[in-house]
Amino acid sequence: MDVASGDERGTTERVLTLLGLLQQRRVWTGSELADRLGVTPRTVRRDVERLRTLGYPVHASQGVGGGYQLGPGHDLPPLLLDDEEAIATAVSLLAGAGGAVAGAGDAALRALAKLDQVLPTRLRHKVGALSGSVEFFGGGRTPVDPEVLMTLARASRDEVEAGFDYPSGSEVRRRRVEPYRLVASDRRWYLLAYDLDRDDWRNFRVDRMTDVSARSWSFRPREAPDAATYVQESVASRVYPHQARFLVHASADTVRAQIPASAAVVRRRGSELCEVLSGAASLDFVLMHVLLLGHDFEVLDPPELRRRCHVLAEKLLSAGATTSPAPATEKS
């Protein structure tokens, strides 16, 4: 391979990396892009011009809050898709993000967010009209409005506040949040966000939200917990009045195949042990679920659950030892 062809390949890879960065966030400064790409700001300016030549509308602004931004153009940028293909792709992604396609939600939403970044306004209207005329049935996940998912995804991407009405007890209250990540479980979509009125991290079920909107106030991202772990632990245990931890004598992979992710958190503890964290309205209920897994286990927390094991064991032994009198037979 000669030097010229190697340089050309390196430039192409760098430009594609630059395009990917511009699709991930609303605005990047020149120095941020230079740092990510490992080049000088002058090289970033040249690569931006290369993208513009290819038809990607990269805008540049000066001053505080300024930088490079990928915006929609008058024509669909060269994604190897014509208008009809772009509309069909967007509608299919809307269906997948809304839960109509099992297992496709996460990837569909990521792809839809990228396509939305560059989709011309005239095509957005066609996508909305077509997606509104299509309905789906089946699938295990609770259906949600794809436009609500897109509104929250845009707000997370652009780092702007979001607002929505959400039930709290017997009331419905307006919530103001800094959206961080959308998380899909096996049954539902959740939003992990920083609740501005409660000054803490919270997760919200997307299917319970109404009147969802992105606000104009931007925010600086806070140090956040791992989104998937936080939401899973909350759904599986923290929302319940009682939580329990068990040491199960089976591999984590074996137990994960037996318990839905929304029902318990399974942590690896070596090759043949795992820790199970779950919650329920009753400690007896969660105890019976672990018992029915069929593996030996130990109660780690809470202490009162250990005492409850002895009480239930005595009842089971008593029930097994009791013999009912044989039914009387009628004399002919």
Side-chain angles (χ1 to χ4, degrees):
M1 181 179 68
D2 60 274
V3 175
S5 62
D7 290 344
E8 184 178 347
R9 182 177 291 110
T11 300
T12 301
E13 292 175 353
R14 190 178 65 246
V15 170
L16 289 175
T17 302
L18 172 61
L19 178 60
L21 290 172
L22 291 171
Q23 290 177 336
Q24 289 176 16
R25 207 169 81 186
R26 185 170 60 94
V27 178
W28 292 85
T29 65
S31 59
E32 287 176 331
L33 290 173
D35 183 62
R36 286 294 188 97
L37 297 171
V39 297
T40 65
R42 182 179 181 183
T43 300
V44 170
R45 291 194 293 271
R46 288 177 178 173
D47 289 346
V48 166
E49 286 302 322
R50 291 186 176 97
L51 286 176
R52 289 169 176 164
T53 301
L54 292 172
Y56 290 93
V58 182
H59 306 305
S61 57
Q62 303 293 326
V64 178
Y68 293 103
Q69 179 178 1
L70 184 64
H74 297 294
D75 298 308
L76 187 68
L79 300 174
L80 301 180
L81 297 173
D82 59 25
D83 285 6
E84 291 184 356
E85 291 170 336
I87 293 172
T89 300
V91 171
S92 298
L93 291 171
L94 282 168
V101 182
D106 294 320
L109 187 59
R110 291 196 303 270
L112 186 57
K114 290 183 178 180
L115 185 59
D116 172 76
Q117 181 86 342
V118 295
L119 200 65
T121 302
R122 59 184 171 80
L123 293 188
R124 283 200 182 96
H125 294 318
K126 293 182 180 180
V127 169
L130 183 56
S131 62
S133 65
V134 180
E135 295 186 5
F136 303 88
F137 65 90
R141 186 173 296 163
T142 302
V144 297
D145 185 349
E147 284 301 314
V148 170
L149 284 175
M150 279 308 304
T151 298
L152 297 172
R154 291 189 197 108
S156 301
R157 180 195 66 199
D158 297 341
E159 297 172 359
V160 296
E161 293 179 14
F164 49 85
D165 293 337
Y166 198 79
S168 178
S170 60
E171 301 178 337
V172 175
R173 299 179 180 177
R174 192 68 180 171
R175 310 298 282 266
R176 297 182 309 114
V177 303
E178 295 176 355
Y180 178 62
R181 288 288 188 278
L182 282 162
V183 178
S185 75
D186 52 351
R187 293 189 299 170
R188 299 185 178 94
W189 279 98
Y190 296 89
L191 173 69
L192 174 62
Y194 193 84
D195 192 317
L196 294 170
D197 295 321
R198 288 156 180 77
D199 197 26
D200 199 3
W201 291 98
R202 293 286 190 274
N203 59 278
F204 303 90
R205 278 178 50 176
V206 176
D207 60 294
R208 290 182 174 177
M209 298 178 181
T210 54
D211 194 17
V212 180
S213 62
R215 298 158 61 87
S216 58
W217 289 278
S218 61
F219 63 87
R220 183 183 298 276
R222 306 169 188 265
E223 184 176 351
D226 179 79
T229 301
Y230 184 95
V231 172
Q232 186 191 12
E233 290 183 356
S234 177
V235 171
S237 63
R238 285 196 295 265
V239 296
Y240 295 102
H242 300 284
Q243 293 85 40
R245 285 193 311 124
F246 304 89
L247 183 65
V248 179
H249 293 242
S251 69
D253 292 339
T254 298
V255 175
R256 286 193 184 108
Q258 295 179 282
I259 307 178
S262 57
V265 178
V266 181
R267 297 169 177 157
R268 190 179 303 275
R269 294 276 293 267
S271 60
E272 297 300 326
L273 294 173
C274 66
E275 182 179 317
V276 174
L277 173 66
S278 188
S282 163
L283 285 176
D284 286 358
F285 186 83
V286 69
L287 180 62
M288 289 299 102
H289 267 270
V290 175
L291 177 64
L292 292 175
L293 293 177
H295 310 296
D296 292 338
F297 67 93
E298 303 165 32
V299 175
L300 299 178
D301 284 309
E304 58 266 27
L305 187 55
R306 300 189 192 116
R307 295 189 292 270
R308 191 62 186 163
C309 285
H310 290 284
V311 172
L312 293 178
E314 290 176 0
K315 288 185 177 181
L316 290 172
L317 287 172
S318 175
T322 301
T323 55
S324 300
T329 56
E330 295 183 1
K331 294 181 179 181
S332 56

